[in-house]
């Protein structure tokens, strides 16, 4: 895809995000916006409406930029991940679900005979990822099955991984922007250009702690970027990326990403860049 086309998609994603944030600001001030209000890590009030804004802007622009054969898949994964992420943002905040965090928490809830909001989200994103694999199927037989597994894993795994980073203002948006920028080249680069612009569009409000992405925004943009990774030609490359995503996800159950970032020079400064003091 040409550079001017990629730039136009990124600009469109950013403009859509800025327009959405303006509308979200008006909604946040209305009574209906109260259910989207949260207190962040620094005990400051923020609005989760940044999530639906990012999900809509990233999905719409990704569909516009997707190559033939990927538009329907982009629409499915962005919409479903954003919708069930929003459901988890609202339902998962209920007191009875406060313990149902992470893979261990969801499994514990199932053993108790409960289905957590997070488990619903995981199942729905997994199903959307599998459908995306069918929609973008390459060839037939065993090779198509392997490609399908890789696509499903990359979409669902990247959606989850970006959400795991949404623990500090700007962190998930920065990670999304960096991943989108790194994958915006090549024939399928249009899938990442719009989400790149959308992530940059919400970043100032995210860093300013006026909004946060929540599961809705982080899951949606992560699923879309996972679909972009699934469009990489080399099967070995896709398998290696999926292995990294899986390893980081499993590590998150035992290791604090925030602690690792804070103790690593370079990552620490990038993470804090533009953020208000705690």
């Amino acid at each position: 895809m040409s550079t001017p086309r990629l730039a136009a998609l990124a600009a469109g994603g950013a403009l859509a995000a800025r327009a959405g944030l303006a509308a979200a600001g008006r909604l946040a001030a209305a009574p209906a916006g109260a259910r989207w209000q949260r207190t962040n890590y620094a005990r400051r009030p923020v609005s989760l409406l940044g999530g639906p804004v990012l999900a809509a802007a990233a999905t719409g622009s990704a569909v516009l930029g997707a190559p033939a054969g990927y538009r329907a898949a982009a629409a499915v994964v962005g919409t479903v991940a954003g919708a069930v992420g929003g459901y988890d943002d609202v339902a998962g905040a209920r007191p009875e679900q406060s313990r149902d965090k992470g893979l261990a928490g969801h499994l514990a809830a199932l053993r108790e005979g409960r289905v957590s909001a997070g488990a619903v989200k995981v199942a729905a994103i997994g199903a959307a990822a599998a459908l995306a694999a069918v929609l973008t199927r390459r060839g037939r037989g065993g090779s198509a099955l392997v490609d399908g597994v890789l696509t499903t894993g990359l979409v669902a795994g990247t959606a989850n991984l970006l959400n795991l980073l949404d623990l500090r203002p700007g962190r998930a948006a920065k990670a999304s922007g960096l991943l989108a920028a790194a994958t915006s080249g090549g024939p399928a680069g249009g899938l990442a250009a719009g989400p790149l612009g959308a992530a940059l569009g919400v970043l100032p409000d995210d860093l300013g702690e006026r909004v946060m992405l929540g599961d809705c925004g982080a899951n949606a943009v992560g699923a879309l970027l996972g679909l972009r990774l699934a469009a990489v030609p080399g099967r070995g490359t896709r398998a290696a990326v999926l292995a990294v995503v899986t390893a980081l996800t499993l590590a998150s159950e035992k290791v604090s990403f925030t602690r690792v970032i804070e103790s690593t020079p370079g990552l620490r400064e990038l993470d804090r860049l533009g953020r208000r003091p705690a």
Side-chain angles (χ1 to χ4, degrees), residues 54 157-184 192 195-200 202-203 206-207 213 217-226 228-229 245 248 257 261 267 270-273 275:
L54 176 59
T158 309
N160 182 60
L161 184 58
L162 262 294
N163 188 41
L164 291 174
L165 293 174
D166 190 36
L167 296 176
R168 292 293 184 272
R171 183 181 293 172
K174 288 175 184 176
S176 300
L178 289 171
L179 178 56
T183 58
S184 59
L196 168 60
L200 294 177
V202 301
L203 183 58
D206 191 5
L207 286 170
L213 305 187
N219 282 148
V221 75
L224 291 165
L225 294 177
R228 170 63 186 99
L229 293 171
V245 170
L248 288 172
F257 282 176
I261 291 170
L267 283 180
L270 177 60
D271 188 49
R272 293 178 180 179
L273 183 64
R275 186 193 303 162

Side-chain angles (χ1 to χ4, degrees), residues 19 36 42 47-48 56 94 115 159 170-171 218 259 262:
W36 294 91
S47 171
L48 275 170
R94 295 169 182 163
V115 179
R171 183 181 293 172
R259 186 175 302 168
E262 284 293 323

